[in-house]
Amino acid sequence: MYKLFLKRLIDFMIAFFGLVLISPIFIVVAIGLFISNRGTPFFFQARPGHKGAIFKIVKFKTMNDKRNTNGELLSDAERLTNIGAIVRKTSLDEIPQLINVLKGDMSLIGPRPLLVQYLPLYNDQQKRRHDVKPGITGWAQVNGRNAISWKQKFDYDVWYVENLSFKLDIKIFFLTIKKVFIREGISAEGQATMNVFKGNENE
């Protein structure tokens, strides 16, 4: 009952009222990033959702588009703006994803939606992370976020799929709040976010 119906109902209600309540913060951050990025404060990117269906995720844009002399984008750490660093550390960059939750592309809690180019790199076990809708936060995020290895991340994602319940979602919700305040696991060592996944031989 929870997985098939109640989870979606709870997602919609929390996302709707959440957006209403934090709209002042949403507006302030959007204006700040618009000025910092000299353009759009939002970042749109194709991501795989439930059963691998592709959707457009929306986040606050915390990095600029600076490139090197060869026209290649600089590293994440080099492109992260000052205000973007603050937004990322406080996890405010995730707020616009409440729109994805309202639309039904995402859930509040589930495996994080990763890059489309990773799809062919998953083994059969890792593909199971797509058996549920992706989430704004998840079991892997409260157990290390970007500071853990890809293998650990995928193991946590699949464990969540196998153990999904209302009780577990409540636990993840409150652990997420705790993680936001202590700002733990935001990035991998030497990176602004997470290292690129290159397949199971490079976990």
Side-chain angles (χ1 to χ4, degrees):
M1 175 67 76
Y2 174 69
K3 181 178 179 179
L4 297 177
F5 176 71
L6 290 180
K7 184 173 173 67
R8 171 59 185 153
L9 178 62
I10 293 172
D11 281 342
F12 184 88
M13 293 178 62
I14 293 179
F16 178 80
F17 289 109
L19 280 171
V20 172
L21 289 174
I22 63 178
S23 57
I25 298 175
F26 189 103
I27 294 171
V28 170
V29 173
I31 293 174
L33 289 173
F34 179 85
I35 296 172
S36 177
N37 296 332
R38 299 178 181 178
T40 177
F42 300 108
F43 169 77
F44 299 90
Q45 189 176 55
R47 297 288 177 94
H50 186 217
K51 300 300 181 182
I54 307 300
F55 71 98
K56 284 289 184 71
I57 195 172
V58 54
K59 299 177 69 174
F60 278 130
K61 188 175 181 180
T62 57
M63 294 183 287
N64 57 41
D65 299 315
K66 291 184 177 180
R67 298 173 181 270
N68 60 25
T69 54
N70 295 321
E72 301 169 333
L73 284 173
L74 298 177
S75 68
D76 288 357
E78 292 174 297
R79 294 187 295 119
L80 187 64
T81 63
N82 291 331
I83 186 173
I86 296 173
V87 170
R88 188 182 292 275
K89 286 180 180 179
T90 54
S91 295
L92 291 174
D93 58 319
E94 311 290 355
I95 290 178
Q97 289 169 68
L98 290 174
I99 298 172
N100 289 120
V101 175
L102 280 178
K103 291 172 59 183
D105 297 325
M106 295 177 62
S107 177
L108 291 171
I109 297 168
R112 287 292 298 156
L114 302 175
L115 300 177
V116 173
Q117 55 261 43
Y118 292 171
L119 286 174
L121 304 178
Y122 300 142
N123 60 35
D124 290 340
Q125 179 74 354
Q126 292 164 351
K127 289 177 182 177
R128 296 190 60 201
R129 68 191 310 279
H130 295 297
D131 287 349
V132 298
K133 287 183 180 180
I136 294 178
T137 185
W139 190 234
Q141 279 60 53
V142 298
N143 282 285
R145 197 174 172 180
N146 291 326
I148 58 177
S149 70
W150 280 109
K151 183 181 185 305
Q152 289 174 304
K153 187 188 295 283
F154 292 139
D155 285 346
Y156 283 133
D157 287 343
V158 174
W159 186 90
Y160 173 81
V161 171
E162 295 174 341
N163 294 274
L164 193 161
S165 68
F166 176 71
K167 182 178 179 181
L168 178 58
D169 279 359
I170 290 294
K171 180 178 181 179
I172 293 172
F173 178 80
F174 285 106
L175 284 175
T176 297
I177 295 175
K178 177 183 175 182
K179 293 288 182 179
V180 169
F181 280 104
I182 63 177
R183 302 178 183 179
E184 184 179 76
I186 293 172
S187 61
E189 185 176 353
Q191 300 290 323
T193 52
M194 181 74 182
N195 292 315
V196 174
F197 178 57
K198 298 180 180 179
N200 290 290
E201 294 181 359
N202 298 284
E203 291 168 345

